[in-house]
Amino acid sequence: MMLKNDLILRAARGEQTERTPVWLMRQAGRILPEYRALRAKLSGFKELVETPDLAAEVTIQPIDALDVDAAIIFSDILVVPEAMGLTYEMVEARGPLFPETVKSAADVARLRVADPEEHLGYVLEALRVTKKALGGRVPLIGFAGAPWTILAYMVEGHGSKTFSKARRMLFQDPELSHQLLRKITDTTIAYLRAQVEAGANMLQVFDSWAGILNPQHYHEFSARYIGEICAAMPADVPVTVFAKGAFFAHHDFAQMPCRTIGLDWNEDPRAVRQLVGDKTLQGNLDPCALYGTPEQVRAATIEMLERFGPQRHIANLGHGVYPDTNPERVKVFVETVKEHSTRMRQDLA
Ligand code: CP3
């Protein structure tokens, strides 16, 4: 199927675009009343994730409601540990919980390298249904967590400010850590390749807990596995690496075989451009900027666009949109990106 809007793919490949493409991390979710209405009728988050027709429906909701330039498949990074043998629960208003965690060599040995069709078939089916329903309106983004971030949840068992159990494992048993990262990486490579076969046009790797590692550990336990994942993807499918808080790892990113680097709002895009060369950058408005008045949202968005410059930029927030954000403000953000980035090119011409 021919894409009617392929701006984000062209921007990711470093090609010239007539305006800056825009989407939001967590655009499919609680900010939309139509999501909350559907979600309220179900037993919980997992039912939504595991029912392909419903996952496809909420994936498409923000395309209709917000007019963004890409759809991201509605799922979660935690489906991977589950496919490897560690079930998660999504506890209402608290977040993910793993009743069993990884503590020992025996625990790592028990985990399997998952087979995507067998263990993650519901995500692949959701991608196929979504792709068909989109009818080429916008590209579809597939995703997975980075191996380090997945290890962090598997060892810790739930969210944490420090993930000190997970970081402790890196210090106390680097070899076991690498064994676990190996299994997660092999699963993730097969899973992301299967997502491409099921219709994903582009991929994003979320390293949400990158920022709590020291630079040496980041290099040894995270960046090298992400690099391996990027290198294993089909050459025509752009990969974005979003490593939240990893301002110390620009050298790793410059070497990474990926097209796009996602930036959180702590980063100065001009400084990052100097360090990572000709890669495309994604980001990075502070999600809290969307709590402002329409005028404030517009001003903050324009400031951000000017810092990135007109080309090789995919506009987004610096992290997922917060659930209590007014969708009208999101629309102001999206419209401002479209208008102002068009104007930036006219000013240059
Ligand atoms: O729109 C999209 O971006 C696609 C959907 C998506 C979800 N999770 C849905 C979701 C994506 C890309 C994710 C990724 C994800 N999941 C990450 C990486 C991105 C990041 O935020 O750093 C992480 C760390 C997770 C793990 C996770 N899932 C947590 C910590 C939580 C609880 C916190 C929260 O936001 O409630 C989730 C739950 C979750 N994943 C929800 C959604 C829409 C909320 C569940 C609900 O509807 O009740």
XYZ file of all heavy atoms in Angstrom, residues 92-146:
410
model
N -3.880 -0.993 38.521
C -4.617 0.259 38.316
C -3.991 1.401 39.128
O -3.791 1.255 40.338
C -6.067 0.021 38.768
C -7.112 0.733 37.958
C -7.083 0.382 36.467
O -7.100 -0.805 36.116
O -7.035 1.324 35.678
N -3.689 2.490 38.476
C -3.167 3.710 39.102
C -1.787 3.542 39.741
O -1.288 4.447 40.408
C -4.153 4.260 40.147
N -1.150 2.390 39.576
C 0.179 2.210 40.164
C 1.228 1.867 39.118
O 2.375 2.262 39.243
C 0.152 1.111 41.227
C -0.791 1.457 42.362
C -0.327 0.905 43.680
N 1.052 1.244 44.002
C 1.703 0.717 45.015
N 1.128 -0.196 45.764
N 2.939 1.079 45.264
N 0.839 1.068 38.107
C 1.815 0.703 37.088
C 2.124 -0.775 37.082
O 1.428 -1.568 37.731
N 3.174 -1.159 36.358
C 3.446 -2.581 36.157
C 4.009 -3.272 37.389
O 4.696 -2.666 38.198
C 4.482 -2.586 35.036
C 5.065 -1.224 34.982
C 4.079 -0.288 35.596
N 3.674 -4.567 37.496
C 4.178 -5.390 38.600
C 4.478 -6.790 38.080
O 3.640 -7.412 37.420
C 3.118 -5.472 39.704
C 3.496 -6.376 40.878
C 4.569 -5.720 41.738
C 2.276 -6.723 41.728
N 5.672 -7.273 38.365
C 6.041 -8.663 38.056
C 6.021 -9.461 39.347
O 6.869 -9.264 40.217
C 7.449 -8.721 37.439
C 7.495 -8.232 36.022
C 7.701 -6.895 35.746
C 7.330 -9.119 34.970
C 7.736 -6.444 34.437
C 7.357 -8.671 33.661
C 7.568 -7.331 33.388
N 5.055 -10.386 39.486
C 4.996 -11.197 40.703
C 6.278 -12.021 40.897
O 6.726 -12.213 42.030
C 3.785 -12.107 40.476
C 2.968 -11.406 39.438
C 3.932 -10.649 38.577
N 6.860 -12.518 39.800
C 8.144 -13.232 39.882
C 9.210 -12.336 39.269
O 8.968 -11.734 38.219
C 8.105 -14.522 39.049
C 6.927 -15.416 39.310
C 7.127 -16.302 40.527
O 8.286 -16.403 40.997
O 6.134 -16.861 41.000
N 10.385 -12.281 39.877
C 11.472 -11.492 39.305
C 12.670 -12.397 39.023
O 12.701 -13.552 39.452
C 11.911 -10.371 40.265
O 12.300 -10.972 41.504
C 10.790 -9.372 40.488
N 13.657 -11.854 38.329
C 14.882 -12.608 38.029
C 15.914 -12.307 39.109
O 16.312 -11.154 39.298
C 15.429 -12.206 36.636
C 16.788 -12.862 36.398
C 14.444 -12.600 35.549
N 16.339 -13.366 39.799
C 17.288 -13.179 40.913
C 18.562 -13.996 40.745
O 19.594 -13.652 41.309
C 16.622 -13.600 42.231
C 15.447 -12.758 42.654
C 14.931 -13.216 44.015
C 13.467 -12.859 44.194
N 12.565 -13.660 43.318
N 18.467 -15.123 40.009
C 19.583 -16.079 40.020
C 19.871 -16.589 38.617
O 19.090 -16.363 37.684
C 19.189 -17.266 40.895
O 18.097 -17.941 40.279
N 20.970 -17.326 38.505
C 21.334 -17.958 37.224
C 20.240 -18.931 36.791
O 19.935 -19.042 35.597
C 22.672 -18.682 37.359
N 19.640 -19.624 37.770
C 18.568 -20.568 37.429
C 17.377 -19.822 36.831
O 16.742 -20.314 35.887
C 18.142 -21.340 38.680
N 17.085 -18.641 37.365
C 15.976 -17.837 36.822
C 16.263 -17.431 35.377
O 15.368 -17.476 34.524
C 15.767 -16.563 37.659
C 15.283 -16.861 39.073
O 14.750 -17.968 39.298
O 15.444 -15.981 39.945
N 17.488 -17.035 35.100
C 17.840 -16.632 33.728
C 17.762 -17.845 32.804
O 17.241 -17.755 31.680
C 19.250 -15.987 33.673
C 19.678 -15.722 32.227
C 19.270 -14.680 34.476
N 18.246 -18.985 33.287
C 18.244 -20.208 32.472
C 16.821 -20.614 32.099
O 16.576 -21.134 31.013
C 18.942 -21.341 33.226
N 15.870 -20.380 33.003
C 14.477 -20.765 32.763
C 13.790 -19.908 31.688
O 12.811 -20.332 31.093
C 13.678 -20.626 34.064
C 13.304 -21.954 34.710
C 12.231 -21.789 35.775
N 12.554 -20.764 36.755
C 13.298 -20.956 37.839
N 13.817 -22.151 38.098
N 13.541 -19.972 38.685
N 14.300 -18.697 31.478
C 13.654 -17.803 30.501
C 13.911 -18.301 29.084
O 14.962 -18.840 28.788
C 14.215 -16.385 30.643
C 13.916 -15.675 31.957
C 14.772 -14.416 32.062
C 12.437 -15.328 32.082
N 12.906 -18.103 28.217
C 13.132 -18.527 26.835
C 13.390 -17.324 25.932
O 12.962 -16.206 26.234
C 11.923 -19.306 26.327
C 10.673 -18.462 26.284
C 9.448 -19.226 25.794
N 8.259 -18.444 26.071
C 7.169 -18.922 26.658
N 7.097 -20.181 27.052
N 6.143 -18.138 26.875
N 14.061 -17.590 24.819
C 14.096 -16.618 23.727
C 12.763 -16.808 23.013
O 12.491 -17.883 22.470
C 15.289 -16.859 22.778
C 15.186 -15.975 21.548
C 16.599 -16.600 23.514
N 11.915 -15.792 23.049
C 10.542 -15.965 22.577
C 10.476 -16.069 21.057
O 11.302 -15.501 20.345
C 9.683 -14.787 23.049
N 9.478 -16.800 20.612
C 9.167 -16.865 19.190
C 8.041 -15.853 18.929
O 6.960 -15.965 19.520
C 8.701 -18.280 18.824
C 8.271 -18.362 17.369
O 9.170 -18.457 16.521
O 7.054 -18.305 17.097
N 8.267 -14.853 18.070
C 7.281 -13.773 17.925
C 5.881 -14.268 17.553
O 4.902 -13.826 18.166
C 7.861 -12.892 16.815
C 9.316 -13.193 16.790
C 9.481 -14.602 17.254
N 5.765 -15.158 16.567
C 4.420 -15.599 16.156
C 3.734 -16.363 17.281
O 2.539 -16.211 17.521
C 4.476 -16.453 14.886
C 4.614 -15.650 13.590
C 3.407 -14.731 13.269
O 2.321 -14.893 13.856
O 3.595 -13.825 12.425
N 4.501 -17.181 17.987
C 3.907 -18.028 19.019
C 3.570 -17.243 20.289
O 2.502 -17.415 20.871
C 4.895 -19.158 19.344
C 4.281 -20.278 20.159
C 5.288 -21.376 20.444
O 6.314 -21.476 19.717
O 5.058 -22.128 21.416
N 4.501 -16.375 20.725
C 4.332 -15.736 22.028
C 3.868 -14.287 21.962
O 3.445 -13.726 22.972
C 5.633 -15.830 22.818
C 6.178 -17.221 22.937
N 5.571 -18.197 23.690
C 7.244 -17.811 22.362
C 6.251 -19.329 23.587
N 7.280 -19.122 22.779
N 4.007 -13.671 20.794
C 3.616 -12.264 20.665
C 2.712 -12.064 19.454
O 2.613 -10.962 18.907
C 4.872 -11.377 20.555
C 5.689 -11.317 21.854
C 7.137 -10.926 21.583
C 5.049 -10.340 22.843
N 2.023 -13.142 19.084
C 1.166 -13.104 17.902
C 0.090 -12.040 17.982
O -0.304 -11.468 16.962
N -0.371 -11.730 19.208
C -1.444 -10.730 19.328
C -0.956 -9.333 18.932
O -1.730 -8.547 18.389
C -2.045 -10.733 20.753
C -1.059 -10.461 21.871
C -0.866 -9.172 22.347
C -0.328 -11.495 22.470
C 0.027 -8.922 23.371
C 0.566 -11.252 23.494
C 0.746 -9.953 23.939
O 1.634 -9.702 24.958
N 0.313 -9.017 19.184
C 0.852 -7.714 18.757
C 0.983 -7.684 17.234
O 0.637 -6.694 16.581
C 2.224 -7.414 19.393
C 2.686 -6.008 18.988
C 2.176 -7.541 20.906
N 1.473 -8.793 16.669
C 1.652 -8.859 15.212
C 0.298 -8.749 14.513
O 0.163 -8.056 13.502
C 2.379 -10.146 14.827
C 3.748 -10.329 15.512
C 4.370 -11.655 15.098
C 4.689 -9.173 15.212
N -0.712 -9.402 15.082
C -2.057 -9.314 14.506
C -2.597 -7.883 14.628
O -3.211 -7.365 13.694
C -2.989 -10.321 15.207
C -4.395 -10.409 14.623
C -4.455 -10.760 13.134
O -3.448 -11.280 12.586
O -5.499 -10.477 12.511
N -2.330 -7.234 15.765
C -2.757 -5.838 15.932
C -2.102 -4.950 14.874
O -2.746 -4.046 14.319
C -2.413 -5.342 17.342
N -0.837 -5.202 14.577
C -0.148 -4.426 13.529
C -0.814 -4.655 12.173
O -1.049 -3.702 11.417
C 1.332 -4.826 13.456
C 2.240 -4.240 14.545
C 3.475 -5.113 14.750
C 2.667 -2.818 14.208
N -1.126 -5.915 11.871
C -1.747 -6.213 10.571
C -3.121 -5.552 10.455
O -3.451 -4.958 9.425
C -1.848 -7.740 10.366
C -0.489 -8.413 10.121
C -0.626 -9.889 9.749
N -0.865 -10.730 10.910
C 0.096 -11.456 11.549
N 1.342 -11.463 11.095
N -0.199 -12.175 12.609
N -3.918 -5.632 11.518
C -5.252 -5.016 11.495
C -5.128 -3.494 11.368
O -5.840 -2.852 10.581
C -6.048 -5.386 12.779
C -7.378 -4.634 12.827
C -6.266 -6.895 12.865
N -4.196 -2.906 12.130
C -4.006 -1.452 12.113
C -3.570 -0.991 10.728
O -4.106 -0.007 10.187
C -2.931 -1.031 13.128
O -3.296 -1.522 14.416
C -2.794 0.479 13.187
N -2.605 -1.710 10.189
C -2.064 -1.349 8.874
C -3.172 -1.277 7.828
O -3.263 -0.349 7.033
C -1.025 -2.400 8.497
C -0.309 -2.150 7.226
C 0.705 -1.075 7.426
C 1.565 -0.986 6.173
N 2.668 -0.063 6.399
N -4.029 -2.282 7.880
C -5.121 -2.354 6.923
C -6.098 -1.195 7.145
O -6.501 -0.507 6.203
C -5.842 -3.696 7.101
C -6.486 -4.187 5.837
C -6.878 -5.647 5.941
C -7.957 -5.926 4.907
N -8.844 -7.002 5.338
N -6.435 -0.967 8.425
C -7.411 0.079 8.745
C -6.862 1.475 8.440
O -7.627 2.387 8.123
C -7.814 -0.020 10.212
N -5.566 1.659 8.548
C -4.970 2.963 8.247
C -5.068 3.304 6.762
O -5.120 4.476 6.394
C -3.490 2.996 8.662
C -3.168 3.286 10.131
C -1.674 3.080 10.383
C -3.585 4.694 10.518
N -5.075 2.270 5.937
C -5.184 2.504 4.501
C -4.123 3.459 3.955
O -4.412 4.236 3.049
N -2.933 3.451 4.526
C -1.851 4.283 4.009
C -1.909 5.743 4.436
O -1.162 6.578 3.918
N -2.796 6.082 5.394
C -2.893 7.496 5.814
C -1.569 8.023 6.366
O -1.136 9.113 6.028
C -3.973 7.657 6.901
C -5.382 7.613 6.349
C -6.393 7.516 7.470
N -6.560 8.762 8.221
C -7.235 8.851 9.362
N -7.791 7.783 9.899
N -7.359 10.006 9.964
N -0.979 7.265 7.273
C 0.316 7.647 7.876
C 1.127 6.374 8.127
O 0.557 5.277 8.204
C 0.138 8.375 9.240
C -0.459 9.757 9.070
C -0.691 7.526 10.198
N 2.436 6.493 8.269
C 3.256 5.321 8.606
C 2.925 4.776 9.995
O 2.429 5.499 10.865
C 4.691 5.865 8.563
C 4.613 7.089 7.704
C 3.261 7.685 7.982
N 3.227 3.509 10.189
C 2.974 2.822 11.450
C 4.318 2.521 12.132
O 5.207 1.923 11.521
C 2.203 1.523 11.164
C 1.828 0.623 12.339
C 1.030 1.378 13.399
C 1.018 -0.585 11.835
N 4.431 2.955 13.375
C 5.669 2.751 14.137
C 5.517 1.516 15.030
O 4.550 1.402 15.780
C 5.991 3.981 15.027
C 6.073 5.263 14.178
C 7.284 3.763 15.810
C 6.214 6.543 15.016
N 6.467 0.610 14.945
C 6.565 -0.514 15.877
C 7.582 -0.170 16.948
O 8.358 0.767 16.782
N 7.580 -0.893 18.048
C 8.551 -0.541 19.094
C 8.844 -1.715 20.012
O 8.141 -2.731 20.017
C 8.053 0.654 19.923
C 6.897 0.324 20.846
C 7.122 -0.143 22.145
C 5.585 0.478 20.424
C 6.066 -0.436 22.997
C 4.522 0.190 21.269
C 4.755 -0.273 22.554
N 9.911 -1.525 20.784
C 10.259 -2.451 21.864
C 11.079 -1.679 22.884
O 11.603 -0.600 22.584
C 11.071 -3.630 21.329
N 11.189 -2.214 24.078
C 12.077 -1.626 25.076
C 13.511 -2.015 24.771
O 13.769 -3.055 24.155
N 14.445 -1.189 25.177
C 15.862 -1.553 25.064
C 16.155 -2.665 26.078
O 15.534 -2.716 27.143
C 16.740 -0.349 25.353
